[in-house]
Amino acid sequence: MNHPHEEVVERVLNQSIDLYGTDVHGTMTVTTDGESVDVNTQHSGEVEAQDREGEQQEDLSSNSSSGCINLNTASNEELQSIVHIGPDRAAEIIDLRPFDAVSELTQVYGIGDGRLGDIKSEDEACVGGS
């Protein structure tokens, strides 16, 4: 958590080096022919230098104040407080972010309609703070 540190991000960006992160780009595929490199990402975006520790604290407080566990911002540990979500599923949720709806949890291995129904009836999981 809190990686990479904002100083590292600033150093890389100041050197005009392309910077990728799964938190911004999701799944990435890197291919090479031995001379050139091609990076394909699941999502577009730019990694920005920011106080990630402060950002995380803000996200935690917004999750608890709104009464929901935001699938797009919650930590691995917070996600595990949702019914049927253990460490492996929490990690997969983080890898699959962002989600537009709770119903998209069926993309996670082992979550089908039955478990999704339990998650929705618990009414703790949300996206976008609602």
Side-chain angles (χ1 to χ4, degrees), residues 52-119:
R52 293 174 183 262
E53 185 174 340
E55 175 184 75
Q56 181 186 16
Q57 290 172 352
E58 180 181 314
D59 288 343
L60 293 175
S61 63
S62 73
N63 287 339
S64 58
S65 66
S66 67
C68 80
I69 299 166
N70 188 327
L71 298 175
N72 293 320
T73 60
S75 68
N76 186 295
E77 292 78 19
E78 289 175 305
L79 290 168
Q80 290 180 56
S81 65
I82 300 171
V83 67
H84 301 304
I85 306 297
D88 292 339
R89 288 188 181 137
E92 189 173 351
I93 289 168
I94 290 169
D95 288 343
L96 291 170
R97 288 176 177 166
F99 291 90
D100 294 322
V102 174
S103 60
E104 291 178 7
L105 284 175
T106 55
Q107 297 173 39
V108 176
Y109 179 78
I111 297 181
D113 292 337
R115 288 193 172 137
L116 179 62
D118 292 346
I119 291 168

